[in-house]
Amino acid sequence: KEKNDAENISKVLYPNDNKYEGKVLRLKQQYFFCSASLQDIIRRYKAKHGNDFSFFAKENAIQLNDTHPVSCVPELVRLLQIEGMTFDEAFEIARKTCSYTNHTVLGEALEKWPADLMNQVIPVIYDIIALIANKCQEELTAKGVSEDKKAKMRIIDGNVVHMARLATYAGTYVNGVAQLHTEILKRDLLKEWYEVYPERFLNKTNGITQRRWLGLCNPELSELITKKVGSDEWLTDLSKLSVLNKCLDARTINKFNDIKATKKKQLAEYIKKMDGYDINPDTIFDVQVKRLHEYKRQLLNAFSIMAIYFRLKEGKLPNWTPTTFIFGAKAAPGYARAKAIIKYITEIANLVNNDPDTKDKLQVYFISNYNVSYAEKIVVAADISEQTSTAGLEASGTGNMKFMLNGAVTLGTWDGANIEIAECAGEENEYIFG
């Protein structure tokens, strides 16, 4: 049994935590990977500097990506205390080494652990968090923060350990991942913290690498761009693409359309091989591939498809261009509603793909096992990129960047990096709503 318990820790990442056993496993898992990483960092550092830890924070940066790795902070304190430091000395180094990236305002990424559960599973870590929590309150008192505000900033509040508060307090910087998102952190989610520690907050808009998401996965378009720009420097400096604004003549546009048609045929062949679907590459490819979540609104897209279907049946869309809607997504294991949405979309596909009145005008496919390899084929073939999150909830988004880079038109809400893409590429090149 002990062997199985140990193996389970690294067997399945992000286990379903709807039940108590899942919560215990998830907490053990987070702590295990944090501790393993930190012990490796310290081992490498000591091989160079011995027991002199005065350079540690200068040579190491630990980025806490959401709250899942935040046990790194108390664990680093614990490991440094083993090296002979006092709590205050160890915490100061941990604070200088760690910074926090918040990727979403959604509750599931702002973990709140029951204090009694944490005390049962990782008691030493809980004790160190309690020391950090006390230090935080003392620091806030010294800064003249009111009792009401201090209450909203408690790291341990009743029987709840607030990991986002721990990450915000016990690090050097806090960043959001798009301009709008960072402003929401300052104005709402971490408002009290921003008022006390404004110097910690900064924005780092998410990005992608054009080397992979254009250079590698779309060699035909890459070759055309290099020819038009005059060199392949755009692979490392995307600003070089601005030269294209001067050479978008009819011949270039036709060449681009030919390349897009080629990529659509390649995708149709790949989908046939992977999923057995017969997709018509001569239709418009309207694509929504991303994690399945209610705020990303795949359901809204599904309702839209049903509205189109009924209008086609009633003859109310005489100028409709035949369109293929392609979905790809994975849902968290315990996310029942997300899985129900997948089921609903596949039922829509069964309906419209087999109706003789619509099957030549409207097709819907939900591809299986959506992953990066599939994405590399889909992104380059898309005509329309669906980015329709509920405004204010998509922190950044990077799929929108990949699609735009390959010449798809964005249909999206004024949200996340859609805003910054529109500001850069021109609002006239996005269909913005909501």
Side-chain angles (χ1 to χ4, degrees):
K1 185 181 182 298
E2 288 180 359
K3 181 176 182 290
N4 288 341
D5 287 346
E7 288 176 346
N8 282 340
I9 289 174
S10 58
K11 194 172 184 179
V12 179
L13 286 177
Y14 299 115
N16 188 353
D17 62 351
N18 287 354
K19 295 181 179 178
Y20 176 79
E21 292 80 10
K23 285 183 169 62
V24 170
L25 177 57
R26 196 174 177 111
L27 185 57
K28 285 180 178 179
Q29 195 175 75
Q30 289 182 6
Y31 174 69
F32 173 80
F33 285 113
C34 286
S35 184
S37 299
L38 289 171
Q39 289 184 50
D40 189 49
I41 289 169
I42 289 172
R43 178 185 61 79
R44 290 165 184 256
Y45 179 84
K46 288 179 71 175
K48 183 178 179 182
H49 294 288
N51 289 320
D52 179 4
F53 281 86
S54 57
F55 304 100
F56 190 84
K58 293 177 184 175
E59 294 195 5
N60 295 289
I62 296 170
Q63 200 68 32
L64 306 170
N65 283 314
D66 283 327
T67 57
H68 311 100
V70 171
S71 56
C72 274
V73 174
E75 174 64 2
L76 181 54
V77 171
R78 184 186 77 85
L79 293 171
L80 291 175
Q81 285 181 305
I82 290 173
E83 297 294 333
M85 292 185 198
T86 66
F87 167 77
D88 286 334
E89 290 169 340
F91 179 67
E92 198 56 35
I93 289 177
R95 199 173 194 177
K96 289 176 180 175
T97 305
C98 297
S99 289
Y100 170 43
T101 297
N102 175 286
H103 289 91
T104 177
V105 299
L106 296 171
E108 61 239 46
L110 304 167
E111 291 172 307
K112 302 176 182 70
W113 287 103
D116 50 5
L117 173 66
M118 186 172 273
N119 195 25
Q120 174 193 330
V121 176
I122 42 175
V124 175
I125 294 305
Y126 177 75
D127 289 344
I128 293 172
I129 291 174
L131 291 173
I132 294 171
N134 290 337
K135 191 176 186 71
C136 175
Q137 289 292 302
E138 290 170 3
E139 193 173 307
L140 295 175
T141 300
K143 286 178 173 287
V145 176
S146 70
E147 292 300 317
D148 284 349
K149 186 179 284 190
K150 278 167 58 181
K152 294 177 183 177
M153 300 171 75
R154 287 193 188 112
I155 292 171
I156 302 176
D157 192 4
N159 188 44
V160 179
V161 181
H162 292 260
M163 302 304 276
R165 296 177 188 177
L166 174 60
T168 304
Y169 171 66
T172 303
Y173 293 112
V174 179
N175 73 277
V177 290
Q179 287 175 354
L180 173 66
H181 174 58
T182 299
E183 290 307 310
I184 290 171
L185 295 183
K186 292 179 186 177
R187 189 178 67 236
D188 183 16
L189 191 71
L190 299 173
K191 179 174 179 283
E192 292 81 16
W193 296 94
Y194 177 65
E195 289 170 352
V196 177
Y197 301 103
E199 71 284 353
R200 292 189 187 179
F201 286 74
L202 70 165
N203 178 58
K204 297 287 183 186
T205 297
N206 270 350
I208 60 167
T209 168
Q210 68 271 27
R211 296 186 300 281
R212 176 167 207 166
W213 292 105
L214 180 52
L216 183 67
C217 63
N218 199 343
E220 297 92 341
L221 183 55
S222 297
E223 184 182 345
L224 175 63
I225 290 171
T226 297
K227 187 176 178 181
K228 290 293 176 181
V229 171
S231 76
D232 63 358
E233 289 181 20
W234 60 270
L235 282 166
T236 52
D237 181 0
L238 206 54
S239 67
K240 302 290 184 184
L241 292 186
S242 61
V243 175
L244 292 173
N245 289 324
K246 302 171 187 174
C247 53
L248 291 180
D249 52 50
R251 187 178 176 188
T252 303
I253 292 169
N254 287 335
K255 181 62 176 171
F256 168 80
N257 288 334
D258 289 343
I259 291 168
K260 181 66 76 172
T262 298
K263 303 316 284 186
K264 290 168 75 171
K265 285 174 185 168
Q266 290 173 358
L267 175 61
E269 290 168 3
Y270 191 76
I271 290 175
K272 176 68 174 174
K273 175 186 170 186
M274 300 301 289
D275 284 298
Y277 301 141
D278 290 304
I279 290 185
N280 182 0
D282 296 325
T283 58
I284 296 289
F285 282 9
D286 186 306
V287 179
Q288 189 171 26
V289 290
K290 54 182 78 246
R291 189 163 49 89
L292 203 302
H293 202 293
E294 287 163 275
Y295 87 85
K296 291 179 183 286
R297 298 204 292 193
Q298 286 95 341
L299 184 58
L300 182 69
N301 193 1
F303 287 159
S304 173
I305 293 168
M306 286 305 295
I308 292 166
Y309 168 71
F310 287 124
R311 287 175 190 171
L312 286 172
K313 290 280 283 182
E314 294 163 7
K316 292 181 178 178
L317 290 175
N319 298 318
W320 173 256
T321 303
T323 301
T324 298
F325 287 87
I326 299 171
F327 290 87
K330 290 182 179 178
Y335 198 166
R337 184 165 290 180
K339 293 184 174 183
I341 292 169
I342 295 174
K343 174 65 172 169
Y344 178 57
I345 293 169
T346 59
E347 289 301 326
I348 292 173
N350 290 334
L351 174 67
V352 306
N353 296 355
N354 296 302
D355 188 326
D357 295 336
T358 59
K359 66 180 184 178
D360 295 330
K361 303 171 186 174
L362 181 63
Q363 295 275 288
V364 178
Y365 298 100
F366 201 116
I367 58 113
S368 62
N369 196 32
Y370 173 63
N371 54 27
V372 171
S373 297
Y374 227 137
E376 287 176 333
K377 306 286 193 303
I378 293 171
V379 163
V380 298
D383 294 304
I384 298 171
S385 162
E386 296 266 1
Q387 307 293 336
T388 56
S389 56
T390 306
L393 293 185
E394 183 66 85
S396 176
T398 51
N400 47 10
M401 303 174 192
K402 295 166 189 172
F403 283 108
M404 178 66 81
L405 192 63
N406 283 277
V409 175
T410 297
L411 171 67
T413 44
W414 198 241
D415 196 25
N418 280 357
I419 298 171
E420 290 165 72
I421 291 172
E423 288 170 349
C424 185
E427 288 184 41
E428 70 278 6
N429 293 315
E430 292 199 10
Y431 292 98
I432 295 293
F433 72 96

